Amino acid sequence: MKGYVFHGPGHASWQEVPDPGVKDPADAIVRVDAVTICGTDLHILKGDVPGVRPGTVLGHEAVGEIVEIGSNVHSVRPGDRVLVSCITACGRCRFCRQGTYGQCQGGGGWTLGHLIDGTQAEYVRVPFADLSVHALPGTLDGKDAVLLADIFPTAYEVGVLNGHVRPGDTVAVVGAGPIGLAAIATARLFAPERIVAVDLAATRLEAARHLGADAVADAREAPEQLVADLTDGLGADVVVEAVGVPESFEMCTRMVRPGGHVANVGVHGRPATLHLEELWARNVTITTGIVDTSSTPTLLRMAAAGRLPTSDLVTHTFPLDDMEEAYDVFGRAADTGALKVVLGGEQHEVVAVRAA
Ligand SMILES: [Zn+2]
Ligand SMILES: [Zn+2]
């Protein structure tokens, strides 16, 4: 089969790789029908995620069809359409038992396209399949569902829920890429007073408005001042960091009100400065986290009911074979206007038939 293989910082290719097979009785093999590229994949290519060894197939977001299961898989069968979650879960360790699957100590967590071969391939082996894939509601298109593999649960859990967004809040979202936009869409579920989006790109700020931001600010033009002006000088109740560079994290800590929350979602490859000389007496809560995907069943029901603007985030679609071109378009988002690129999806006729 073909897969997108990481060869070290700056190098990867769509190439022939061995077909995956069941290695453990809890495994499932999924034929990939729709897959996306994540900002995290670009961080891997930049060398920000040293745990990824050369030779690894990248990708941790997919929708597909179960083609084979191990003897200890009970929740899905061959022929089922499933969402492959970015997080796998052993279900037995102390973290899995409290639903914090992202911290799984039993061999799960974020492993796909990180520590083991991932989803940017024709087939993928998913460990702990019972807890790591979700059967798709029949009405949900693969292209919509694939956004629930990572970006929607990540934005919702690590941004909105960790940030404790509440009715009447001022929420600032720094970074209006796919994660920031999904944070805007899911923050709205809590009826905040206003959402302020900050980014460098005019196209992304426009998308932020479309998804429900009430005000937008260019990151180069003192967005802290705009937030202060809107809040009688106090600052935002909740600030979501969805970029992953020191400057944006430090901006978030200047934008939050006393007693507010800064929820970091961004993947950081460089150290950021924590300005305790300014923050120590401000009662600010700063959270970090990787997604648990404990919200995925809820988000799937909402998406099937048309309550999440998933397809609004998809700007480009490609056949699966065009992985290298898709990476090029996604990696040059400032020029191409790319938000989420989806490969496969409704172009695959089996998905269309099964969705009908
Ligand atoms: Zn991702
Ligand atoms: Zn576990």
Side-chain angles (χ1 to χ4, degrees):
M1 70 159 187
K2 290 279 185 62
Y4 191 69
V5 179
F6 176 67
H7 293 294
H11 301 282
S13 61
W14 179 249
Q15 64 179 69
E16 201 61 39
V17 291
D19 286 357
V22 167
K23 282 189 188 168
D24 181 278
D27 288 350
I29 306 299
V30 176
R31 191 199 64 221
V32 173
D33 289 330
V35 62
T36 62
I37 304 171
C38 182
T40 304
D41 297 320
L42 300 183
H43 282 286
I44 292 171
L45 285 172
K46 268 169 62 186
D48 286 347
V49 189
V52 183
R53 289 186 313 261
T56 305
V57 174
L58 297 183
H60 51 265
E61 305 168 82
V63 161
E65 182 181 314
I66 301 273
V67 293
E68 192 186 345
I69 54 173
S71 58
N72 197 25
V73 174
H74 305 288
S75 65
V76 288
R77 293 178 302 172
D80 285 352
R81 284 177 76 221
V82 294
L83 173 69
V84 179
S85 173
C86 64
I87 298 295
T88 61
C90 80
R92 293 191 287 266
C93 72
R94 63 179 281 188
F95 293 102
C96 284
R97 290 173 73 101
Q98 61 186 30
T100 47
Y101 308 115
Q103 304 301 328
C104 176
Q105 299 289 300
W110 174 41
T111 59
L112 288 169
H114 176 204
L115 307 176
I116 62 173
D117 286 338
T119 56
Q120 286 163 6
E122 292 174 307
Y123 294 87
V124 59
R125 179 181 72 90
V126 183
F128 309 117
D130 277 334
L131 277 167
S132 310
V133 302
H134 302 262
L136 284 188
T139 49
L140 195 56
D141 187 88
K143 182 159 68 69
D144 291 312
V146 74
L147 299 193
L148 273 55
D150 177 357
I151 70 160
F152 268 86
T154 295
Y156 180 59
E157 295 174 18
V158 187
V160 174
L161 296 183
N162 279 1
H164 287 252
V165 175
R166 287 191 290 193
D169 276 356
T170 291
V171 179
V173 176
V174 176
I179 289 280
L181 294 172
I184 290 167
T186 51
R188 289 188 73 191
L189 301 170
F190 293 86
E193 181 182 354
R194 62 173 74 80
I195 300 175
V196 182
V198 178
D199 202 283
L200 292 166
T203 51
R204 292 191 163 199
L205 292 176
E206 211 177 287
R209 274 204 188 276
H210 177 72
L211 282 151
D214 304 284
V216 299
D218 187 310
R220 288 159 295 213
E221 291 170 7
E224 299 96 322
Q225 194 54 50
L226 171 70
V227 170
D229 291 347
L230 289 169
T231 55
D232 296 326
L234 270 184
D237 300 282
V238 181
V239 188
V240 175
E241 201 285 349
V243 181
V245 298
E247 297 76 12
S248 63
F249 173 77
E250 291 163 27
M251 178 192 288
C252 291
T253 62
R254 292 192 300 270
M255 217 177 249
V256 68
R257 70 159 166 83
H261 287 77
V262 174
N264 184 81
V265 191
V267 176
H268 290 264
R270 286 184 285 141
T273 302
L274 182 62
H275 285 283
L276 282 174
E277 77 283 8
E278 286 156 19
L279 290 165
W280 71 271
R282 288 171 59 82
N283 295 24
V284 167
T285 302
I286 297 174
T287 55
T288 67
I290 193 167
V291 66
D292 292 316
T293 66
S294 52
S295 70
T296 302
T298 304
L299 294 172
L300 273 171
R301 286 198 306 278
M302 293 179 67
R307 302 278 188 197
L308 293 178
T310 43
S311 51
D312 291 1
L313 296 189
V314 178
T315 52
H316 296 73
T317 57
F318 299 89
L320 193 57
D321 261 340
D322 285 354
M323 189 66 72
E324 293 183 355
E325 192 192 339
Y327 259 93
D328 179 58
V329 166
F330 185 65
R332 292 186 300 110
D335 300 329
T336 61
L339 291 172
K340 234 18 205 176
V341 305
V342 175
L343 297 101
E346 85 282 22
Q347 295 161 6
H348 199 297
E349 79 185 22
V350 173
V351 167
V353 169
R354 287 182 168 269

